Amino acid sequence: ATTFAPEGTMTRSMVVTVLYRLAGSPAVDGDCPFTDCKSGSFYYNAVIWAAENGITAGTSSTTFAPDAEVTREQMATFLYRYAKMEGCDMNVSETASLNAYADAASVSGFASKAMLWVVDNGIMNGATSNGKTVLAPQDSATRAQVATILMRFCENVAE
């Protein structure tokens, strides 16, 4: 009730729950397609909604990994798919590139378009590590980072 824990990490279920609430917590139909999501949990309807709307495909066809820490590239991908569902401008400038980041090659294939979109739209910035600018796509996203990313999304992209 009195602690935010900004350096704490976000889980995959926390992120889809935040996006679900941002969407107004719409009613969901059907069952959760993932066997590792517990009915009655705080995230259950959010995961159903995220799967129904193409925001997540899970970590496999039958698992979501709700308690796993969300990576920065997973966060970018969830947000990219959410923005697309909401009808936001999904354009990326012709000069957009991740080449300025020393770890650009470590962005997973599934996340490459989303990472390019969040960087080009000023939603996600890199950090300095060992004197190099990096995106740290495989690193866990902290609660503070997710809050900042969502605020930038709301200010820069959402209508």
Side-chain angles (χ1 to χ4, degrees):
T2 61
T3 305
F4 178 67
E7 295 307 314
T9 55
M10 292 283 285
T11 64
R12 292 170 50 83
S13 61
M14 288 176 184
V15 171
V16 296
T17 299
V18 168
L19 294 175
Y20 173 67
R21 291 177 180 164
L22 187 60
S25 301
V28 296
D29 291 322
D31 296 319
C32 186
F34 307 115
T35 59
D36 58 350
C37 293
K38 296 177 186 170
S39 178
S41 62
F42 77 88
Y43 58 80
Y44 191 73
N45 284 345
V47 172
I48 293 171
W49 168 83
E52 287 176 348
N53 288 285
I55 293 167
T56 185
T59 55
S60 77
S61 62
T62 59
T63 60
F64 177 70
D67 298 322
E69 294 177 353
V70 71
T71 64
R72 290 169 52 83
E73 69 180 6
Q74 289 170 350
M75 174 63 204
T77 302
F78 290 157
L79 185 58
Y80 175 80
R81 292 172 180 164
Y82 171 81
K84 194 172 188 178
M85 179 200 75
E86 288 292 320
C88 295
D89 183 356
M90 303 309 294
N91 291 325
V92 175
S93 68
E94 289 184 29
T95 58
S97 171
L98 298 179
N99 291 337
Y101 302 95
D103 60 349
S106 67
V107 173
S108 300
F110 77 85
S112 59
K113 189 180 286 187
M115 290 294 281
L116 189 60
W117 178 77
V118 295
V119 168
D120 190 50
N121 284 282
I123 299 168
M124 186 180 287
N125 298 325
T128 302
S129 176
N130 297 324
K132 296 180 181 179
T133 304
V134 296
L135 283 171
Q138 308 297 321
D139 287 0
S140 297
T142 67
R143 293 169 58 86
Q145 288 170 342
V146 171
T148 301
I149 288 166
L150 290 172
M151 185 57 137
R152 288 178 184 152
F153 168 74
C154 289
E155 291 175 346
N156 299 348
V157 178
E159 297 175 1

